[in-house]
Amino acid sequence: MTPKEVLEFAKKNSVVMVDLIFTDFPGVWQNFSVPIDQLEESSFEEGFGFDGSSIRGWQAINASDMLVLPDGNTAALDPFKKYPTMSLICNILDPITKEPYSRDPRFIAQKAVNYLLSTGLGDIAYFGPEAEFFIFDDIRFDQTSNSGYYFIDSKEGIWNSGKDEGPNLGYKPRYKEGYFPVSPTDSLEDIRTEMVLMLQKYGIEVEAQHHEVATAGQGEIDMKFSPLVNMADKLMTFKYVIKNVAYKHNKTVTFMPKPLFGDNGSGMHTHQSIWKGGEPLFAGSGYAGLSEMALHYIGGILAHSKSLAALTNPTTNSYKRLVPGYEAPVNLAYSARNRSASIRIPMYSASPKAKRCEVRYPDPSCNPYLAFAAMLMAGIDGIENKIDPGQPLDKDLYDLDPEELAQVPQMPGSLEESLKNLEDDHEFLKKGDVFTEDAIMTWIGYKREKEVDAVRMRPHPYEFYLYYDI
């Protein structure tokens, strides 16, 4: 929408407040609101001021003033607010130079798309994430100098099969058997449907919703693929909607990759392809119906996966899911249909328009603007340098003998390892000034100080089980 159209939209819907939304560096929506009479056509050029020093990973306190610049194309009515409220996703500007802020994740994603255009390889990159999540009934956690704990509960949790619930009616999905029985075993069908309806109010097209593999309310709602920046906007909206619908029902949602021990974690398989002039460029006569460009794109992803992990799997908890021999695809190989490979070529349709690659190791804790931009840059690097992805592995990678498996590279085993890989391998991200050296080093420093070291310095509850009697 143009600024004028946004104001007309607001008037038509009796909007009284405008919610100005942006994504912080780690990947969480932030906002502040202004009365509708503060929004003018000039606001879309002049922006609104805020304190950037209070946002994680951003400005120092001596240079804290920043601007949010609303994007009129993102205008939407917020269905969760009591009073009529219009939301606008914003970009971040420096108030002095009026230049886009180099650490703004949305700006980084926009630069990645512009870099694709500058190469002439394509004019659009489509992304389609499948973000899994858990819907719990209760979560309690704390960490002090002399204690640390968490308690999760769900009426669906198989651990409650013997609980006196007055009455307990059973029908709780067993571990790894949540994919996907009908109700009453799946008790969350209606809530997920309400989530779908709310997403549709935002104009987000949904393809399917279902229970996922784990017990205790794991779910998935699949959105139709979209261009990169638009898809990242949608995924941030998706998280907001899913959490707020659950909250309305006195339930809580987490996109944490591995909240439960002994059952599947939540991944975010990410489908991607490049098009030009309305034509798909990943379809061809090669392996699994792929073009040479697609194979080189896969080669780039595989070549840089160990550094990409710092952005696609950016939490210490991510590596509780990425464990060799379990459900997550840690082996850096590609294959048609084979879900044990880290990159899969879906074979549901023979249509060239459906030809894509599915990168399976990312998880929904990531900042989608940074993760999508990084994967696109890795794929472009593969195309430009004609990186050979090697031979496909169509065997079940979990059943390979140790000697054969040893020849297959694997994802990093920790966030610290991923950050070291990013530190050593990030030149491909800097092409076209998409990721600046400052943005990359700030990410690495923030993650090491605020997450890696913070977790490393705290005793783990299981360590008391293992070592207390030493």
Side-chain angles (χ1 to χ4, degrees), residues 12 31 40 45 143 151 172 178 183 212 219 233 274 387:
K12 178 182 177 182
N31 77 302
E40 302 173 348
E45 294 181 358
Q143 179 75 58
F151 293 99
K172 303 180 190 299
S183 59
E212 256 298 339
D233 289 343
I274 294 176
I387 297 177

Side-chain angles (χ1 to χ4, degrees), residues 115 119 121 296 377 379-387 431:
Y115 181 72
T119 65
L121 295 171
H296 289 151
M377 294 302 290
I380 291 174
D381 187 61
I383 296 168
E384 291 181 324
N385 292 293
K386 300 186 184 303
I387 297 177
K431 292 180 180 179

Side-chain angles (χ1 to χ4, degrees), residues 16 41 85 166 181 266 312 355 383 398:
V16 297
E41 288 190 46
T85 300
S266 292
T312 60
K355 195 55 62 179
I383 296 168
Y398 300 130

Side-chain angles (χ1 to χ4, degrees), residues 149-181:
Y149 66 87
Y150 67 89
F151 293 99
I152 294 170
D153 206 4
S154 164
K155 292 178 181 177
E156 272 199 3
I158 189 62
W159 58 80
N160 280 324
S161 62
K163 183 179 179 181
D164 182 1
E165 295 180 336
N168 187 326
L169 301 177
Y171 299 114
K172 303 180 190 299
R174 288 176 286 272
Y175 294 115
K176 298 182 182 294
E177 293 187 23
Y179 190 88
F180 26 52

Side-chain angles (χ1 to χ4, degrees), residues 356-404:
R356 61 199 187 275
C357 68
E358 176 193 3
V359 184
R360 294 178 59 80
Y361 53 75
D363 68 55
S365 69
C366 72
N367 183 324
Y369 298 101
L370 302 182
F372 296 170
M375 285 188 280
L376 177 62
M377 294 302 290
I380 291 174
D381 187 61
I383 296 168
E384 291 181 324
N385 292 293
K386 300 186 184 303
I387 297 177
D388 185 354
Q391 293 299 309
L393 284 177
D394 291 329
K395 301 176 182 179
D396 184 344
L397 299 182
Y398 300 130
D399 289 338
L400 291 180
D401 61 65
E403 293 78 14
E404 198 171 2

Side-chain angles (χ1 to χ4, degrees), residues 214-230:
T215 188
Q218 189 181 37
E220 179 177 314
I221 298 174
D222 296 332
M223 298 175 283
K224 186 176 181 180
F225 64 88
S226 292
L228 189 153
V229 177
N230 182 248

